[in-house]
Amino acid sequence: MRKVLAGVAAMVAVCGAAGPAGAVGGGPEADLAYHGAASMSAGQAYVRFTPRNHGPSAVPDATVRLRWSEPLADRQVLPLGCARSGPGGVLCRVGALGADDMGEQISLRVRLRGAPTEVVLELDTVWNGGAVDRNRANDRQRVLVLDTGDEYYF
């Protein structure tokens, strides 16, 4: 029973009682955005991006989800603060962001299963500390990445 209660408490801590990112409610308003670049070569995808909060309120903590349209290889080496989420996804902690503040750059390299010639990378906020984000267009990115080694900016 304790394990079940601990699991529920962990889910509330991750998902929050205020609901998912972008939920309409009475929380403070913030505007998260992600800008960076992605590339792919020989089945390895690389992405780096910088989170930003355009405000007007601070965000006490945030988490971004990265999803590739192709499954990831079974074994991955992910940076601190990132964890595997399903067959083609990774969650990364963004941390706290003040109003009109830029966060630390997040960089990761993943190995894709096989060697696809193209992949679609999607980024979106899954947790923003209960803040209301009325402009969801800039915290949802979708990028087509070709196996050329070239960088594709978003």
Side-chain angles (χ1 to χ4, degrees):
M1 185 65 168
R2 285 185 180 171
K3 288 183 181 180
V4 172
L5 292 176
V8 171
M11 284 184 65
V12 169
V14 170
C15 296
V24 177
E29 187 173 343
D31 183 16
L32 296 178
Y34 306 104
H35 299 289
S39 63
M40 183 173 65
S41 179
Q44 289 207 10
Y46 175 69
V47 62
R48 64 175 165 41
F49 62 95
T50 303
R52 182 174 181 100
N53 177 13
H54 294 288
S57 299
V59 173
D61 200 3
T63 302
V64 64
R65 174 178 41 211
L66 298 93
R67 288 183 287 195
W68 286 266
S69 59
E70 296 291 331
L72 302 177
D74 291 337
R75 298 184 72 113
Q76 299 290 330
V77 177
L78 299 172
L80 188 64
C82 294
R84 184 86 180 255
S85 172
V90 172
L91 297 172
C92 291
R93 182 172 187 259
V94 171
L97 291 171
D100 198 28
D101 191 18
M102 197 175 308
E104 295 290 322
Q105 184 180 71
I106 297 172
S107 299
L108 64 143
R109 183 177 308 273
V110 296
R111 291 182 310 116
L112 300 167
R113 193 171 296 151
T117 58
E118 66 181 41
V119 67
V120 175
L121 169 63
E122 295 178 335
L123 290 89
D124 66 319
T125 302
V126 293
W127 173 241
N128 63 8
V132 176
D133 190 341
R134 298 191 199 293
N135 180 14
R136 295 301 310 275
N138 58 359
D139 71 311
R140 293 180 178 163
Q141 301 287 349
R142 188 169 192 202
V143 185
L144 174 64
V145 183
L146 304 177
D147 184 17
T148 61
D150 296 329
E151 288 194 316
Y152 298 89
Y153 295 91
F154 55 90

